[in-house]
Amino acid sequence: MNARKFKDDIYNELASISKALANPHRLEIIDLLAQGPSSVEYVAEQTNLSIASASHHLQLLKKARLTKAQKEGKYNYYSLRSPRVFEVWKSLREFGFSQNAEIERLIRDFRNDRQSLESVSSADLLQRIEKEEVVVIDVRPGQEYREGHITSAISIPKGELANRLKDFPKDKEIIAYCRGPLCAMADEAVELLREHGFQSKRLDEGFPEWLMADLPVSVSG
């Protein structure tokens, strides 16, 4: 193999990864799979795609060696091939935040509309958990909570929150978290809680970032 062919082959393989990531649906799917293994049907439901479309995107991610699949009964469950896949996506996302003013504007406008711009960092939240100063709620679907969650967090999927307001103390701030900084469920939870007189903020990131930082997590099984 001459040097030209060697370089062409390597760049082609690297380009296949970039090509797999160059789609908004597939980026959202990576965010979702960072929560834990998911069936094609669950991915379709959570991303508002048809099952056929979700399957297509998952296959492309698998072909690029970013995901893997395991059959359980009649369902295929997909997961990220390794934690490094999420690390790459997180770096790409942060690079986009730093370079693209439009992204910053969209996030600011969305959160200003909901009066949920205030957030708390993982380090600050850990300190406040240890001091028992806050109630932490995980507003992701129960399946994702069971795969892994912040230790001491209570599972209250966003759709159930309105019926659980009476369970919260008024003298503690409530911190909501979900899949990550692009996940709107925590913002919507904070908005609802504030409308009912609670002090509330969202975690600035999400469970995958908390896990990657090697902070305390639990699995419900």
Side-chain angles (χ1 to χ4, degrees):
M1 180 183 296
N2 62 37
R4 182 69 265 163
K5 186 175 188 317
F6 165 75
K7 291 177 70 174
D8 287 347
D9 287 348
I10 294 295
Y11 282 121
N12 280 332
E13 289 299 319
L14 291 171
S16 71
I17 297 173
S18 301
K19 185 177 180 181
L21 293 173
N23 179 279
H25 296 305
R26 292 196 283 276
L27 293 178
E28 185 178 2
I29 288 171
I30 289 174
D31 250 348
L32 180 58
L33 296 183
Q35 318 303 316
S38 299
S39 67
V40 177
E41 291 76 10
Y42 187 77
V43 170
E45 176 190 355
Q46 295 298 314
T47 57
N48 201 30
L49 294 170
S50 69
I51 291 176
S53 182
S55 178
H56 173 69
H57 287 300
L58 286 162
Q59 287 294 327
L60 289 175
L61 289 168
K62 182 182 176 186
K63 186 177 180 181
R65 300 178 180 85
L66 298 175
T67 65
K68 57 185 177 181
Q70 180 176 342
K71 195 164 186 67
E72 295 183 19
K74 62 179 181 178
Y75 296 104
N76 280 321
Y77 283 82
Y78 284 82
S79 58
L80 298 183
R81 196 171 187 89
S82 80
R84 294 196 66 186
V85 176
F86 179 72
E87 291 173 14
V88 169
W89 159 231
K90 183 175 183 291
S91 296
L92 175 62
R93 187 182 68 203
E94 290 172 351
F95 179 73
F97 286 178
S98 69
Q99 298 296 310
N100 191 325
E102 178 65 10
I103 294 174
E104 182 181 359
R105 185 192 67 78
L106 288 167
I107 293 173
R108 184 180 63 249
D109 289 352
F110 177 82
R111 291 186 174 152
N112 279 339
D113 286 346
R114 287 158 178 77
Q115 299 182 339
S116 58
L117 188 60
E118 287 186 87
S119 62
V120 59
S121 70
S122 294
D124 288 342
L125 178 56
L126 180 61
Q127 290 182 354
R128 299 187 67 187
I129 289 173
E130 291 172 345
K131 294 177 182 177
E132 299 183 350
E133 294 177 346
V134 294
V135 174
V136 182
I137 60 172
D138 184 323
V139 297
R140 300 173 300 162
Q143 170 181 317
E144 296 171 35
Y145 175 87
R146 290 188 291 272
E147 290 289 344
H149 55 269
I150 294 174
T151 297
S152 82
I154 304 167
S155 176
I156 306 182
K158 183 180 66 69
E160 300 176 12
L161 182 58
N163 295 324
R164 299 281 299 276
L165 295 175
K166 63 182 182 300
D167 298 336
F168 295 124
K170 288 280 190 177
D171 60 344
K172 286 189 177 182
E173 191 167 49
I174 302 166
I175 308 298
Y177 75 89
C178 52
R179 293 170 180 153
L182 300 181
C183 176
M185 291 185 287
D187 295 279
E188 292 168 351
V190 168
E191 181 183 20
L192 177 63
L193 288 162
R194 288 183 173 182
E195 286 175 354
H196 286 82
F198 293 96
Q199 300 177 62
S200 184
K201 295 177 184 175
R202 67 160 286 153
L203 178 62
D204 59 3
E205 295 189 309
F207 176 72
E209 292 83 5
W210 181 276
L211 178 64
M212 195 168 82
D214 200 27
L215 297 174
V217 300
S218 301
V219 177
S220 297

